[in-house]
Amino acid sequence: CRIDGSDQLVGPTEFEKRGGSKKKKWKNSIYVRFENGNDDSTGMTLGHHMIESGKDFDNDGRIRNKKVAVYRPSDGGFHIGTITKFLENSGEHRVEYDDGKAEELYLFLMDLKWEPEIVDEKTNGTDAMNEEAKEAEGEE
């Protein structure tokens, strides 16, 4: 969230706190303001905006049952899973990972790779390049 009159960005909890609220219900207490400076004429809350953004991203269910790799900054890697469900009340999607774990995410906010971009996490780019180089040497 951007503090009015400055370029300072803060998270939604801090933004709400600076506005004087102690409720910690930022999805319903923060209203969307677009980059062009116009207030949202519908009075859309951030939570409602996130639900609508999730619906748009869901594209009428076209991304469900698709393989996706979700980037995790904590370990610097992509984790491969399948999008199994859209949660209409929150705007999140459920991703069930190949390792058996699952979580709900705002996919429209995540760094993602889609099939066929996904490379099997057991094969890193260096090994694949080495294999290709060996095959090319054998052809000469």
Side-chain angles (χ1 to χ4, degrees):
C1 297
R2 185 178 310 280
I3 303 296
D4 273 341
S6 76
D7 288 333
Q8 183 181 9
L9 296 174
V10 296
T13 303
E14 179 64 20
F15 185 85
E16 182 181 52
K17 185 172 131 184
R18 289 183 183 201
S21 177
K22 296 180 182 179
K23 294 181 182 179
K24 296 186 180 179
K25 296 192 183 275
W26 55 265
K27 289 181 184 176
N28 295 318
S29 66
I30 296 175
Y31 286 80
V32 175
R33 184 174 196 180
F34 296 105
E35 283 293 321
N36 63 11
N38 294 333
D39 288 329
D40 177 18
S41 62
T42 63
M44 185 184 294
T45 63
L46 183 55
H48 184 75
H49 177 68
M50 293 172 82
I51 291 169
E52 291 301 312
S53 296
K55 283 180 186 175
D56 289 345
F57 194 82
D58 190 57
N59 198 15
D60 292 324
R62 289 185 184 99
I63 67 167
R64 281 178 248 161
N65 300 312
K66 301 261 187 211
K67 281 281 196 184
V68 66
V70 180
Y71 180 72
R72 289 280 170 221
S74 58
D75 65 10
F78 281 88
H79 298 268
I80 300 171
T82 303
I83 300 168
T84 59
K85 185 177 186 181
F86 174 62
L87 305 168
E88 291 189 26
N89 291 336
S90 68
E92 295 170 298
H93 284 84
R94 181 172 182 79
V95 177
E96 295 184 10
Y97 295 103
D98 292 354
D99 66 3
K101 296 178 184 174
E103 65 181 333
E104 285 78 35
L105 301 165
Y106 292 107
L107 289 181
F108 61 92
L109 296 175
M110 306 299 292
D111 186 5
L112 304 172
K113 286 185 180 181
W114 299 89
E115 275 187 319
E117 276 187 278
I118 300 171
V119 177
D120 183 9
E121 58 188 3
K122 294 176 185 171
T123 305
N124 66 36
T126 306
D127 289 343
M129 286 189 294
N130 288 341
E131 289 285 326
E132 289 174 14
K134 286 178 186 176
E135 287 175 14
E137 284 178 317
E139 292 174 5
E140 294 178 350

